[in-house]
């Protein structure tokens, strides 16, 4: 089980983590929470249903990592001409969806922090993280968002995921983040495998 998720009863998954891995995961999750920003908590006395209809932003984020986490709806690399109509439709889509998407991403990352904080590290300096089926989905979302964020900071594209990432020299300043990026990818892959029905 060391280093990879394995299926457990009830649709959950478990993984053995050492103290360093727990610390790294928690630190990355907290940094992602800070990047995503605070959630829109309902004001005391405000109707919770009314809060659902609060307008979100209409402009894309200027931070490239946030722009990847909250992408444009109708404007992408395949669009050859960004017309005023497409820009207006994209702004309208963002206005009605980004707050909810931001809340969901925060919930995913908060689940990671809470489940890590609930671990009791044993005498050998590690613990087994056991997730319920719902927590697995939160972890999948958070791991994906962490990889997107780190990949954006490293300027990794789909074409770049090659052997080059595995062969950086030790003195390359990107190496620690590349190692985290690859490790999170391996965790994500094994978690996906535990959730797939037997073929």
């Amino acid at each position: 089980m060391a280093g990879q998720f394995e299926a457990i009863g009830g649709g959950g998954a478990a993984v053995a983590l050492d103290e360093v891995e727990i610390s790294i995961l928690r630190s990355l999750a907290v940094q992602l929470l800070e990047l995503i920003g605070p959630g829109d908590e309902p004001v005391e006395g405000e109707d919770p249903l009314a809060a659902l209809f609060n307008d979100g932003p209409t402009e894309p984020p200027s931070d490239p990592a946030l722009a990847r986490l909250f992408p444009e709806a109708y404007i992408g690399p395949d669009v050859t001409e960004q017309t005023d109509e497409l820009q207006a439709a994209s702004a309208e889509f963002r206005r009605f969806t980004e707050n909810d998407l931001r809340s969901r991403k925060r919930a995913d990352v908060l689940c990671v922090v809470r489940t890590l904080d609930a671990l009791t590290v044993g005498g050998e300096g590690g613990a087994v993280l056991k997730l319920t089926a719902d927590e697995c989905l939160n972890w999948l979302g958070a791991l994906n968002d962490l990889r997107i964020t780190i990949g954006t900071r490293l300027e990794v594209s789909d074409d770049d995921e090659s052997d080059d990432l595995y062969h950086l020299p030790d003195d390359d300043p990107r190496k620690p983040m590349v190692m985290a990026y690859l490790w999170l990818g391996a965790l994500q892959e094994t978690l996906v495998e535990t959730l797939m029905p037997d073929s």
Side-chain angles (χ1 to χ4, degrees):
M1 181 185 302
Q4 62 182 14
F5 279 99
E6 293 182 7
I8 59 175
V15 62
L17 299 169
D18 65 32
E19 280 186 278
V20 173
E21 292 168 331
I22 293 167
S23 176
I24 291 170
L25 279 168
R26 192 182 189 291
S27 175
L28 290 172
V30 168
Q31 290 176 56
L32 182 57
L33 277 174
E34 291 171 357
L35 178 67
I36 291 171
D40 290 332
E41 299 299 327
V43 178
E44 189 174 328
E46 180 183 17
D47 178 1
L49 289 176
L52 292 175
F53 298 101
N54 288 342
D55 287 349
T58 56
E59 295 295 320
S62 58
D63 184 302
L66 282 174
R68 286 283 316 276
L69 292 173
F70 304 104
E72 295 283 4
Y74 303 105
I75 302 171
D78 297 334
V79 176
T80 55
E81 186 178 348
Q82 296 184 6
T83 65
D84 289 342
E85 291 81 15
L86 280 178
Q87 290 176 341
S90 185
E92 192 73 356
F93 184 83
R94 182 178 296 281
R95 182 166 73 98
F96 288 114
T97 61
E98 186 170 312
N99 284 346
D100 185 52
L101 182 58
R102 193 174 291 267
S103 294
R104 185 173 56 79
K105 289 181 181 299
R106 282 188 59 77
D108 288 344
V109 183
L110 281 170
C111 176
V112 169
V113 173
R114 288 178 182 138
T115 53
L116 291 172
D117 285 350
L119 289 176
T120 302
V121 177
E124 296 180 10
V128 175
L129 174 71
K130 294 181 180 178
L131 303 175
T132 65
D134 287 341
E135 289 169 341
C136 286
L137 296 177
N138 292 124
W139 268 74
L140 273 179
L143 288 171
N144 186 60
D145 288 345
L146 283 168
R147 290 193 78 237
I148 286 172
T149 302
I150 294 171
T152 303
R153 295 287 189 245
L154 291 170
E155 299 180 351
V156 174
S157 71
D158 292 338
D159 299 333
D160 290 336
E161 273 201 62
S162 64
D163 288 340
D164 294 343
L165 291 179
Y166 293 95
H167 300 293
L168 288 176
D170 288 340
D171 61 351
D172 191 309
R174 299 171 300 161
K175 184 144 188 179
M177 289 310 294
V178 167
M179 297 306 293
Y181 177 79
L182 295 172
W183 175 55
L184 292 170
L187 280 177
Q188 183 180 18
E189 183 178 344
T190 62
L191 183 52
V192 168
E193 288 170 1
T194 68
L195 301 177
M196 294 179 68
D198 294 334
S199 2

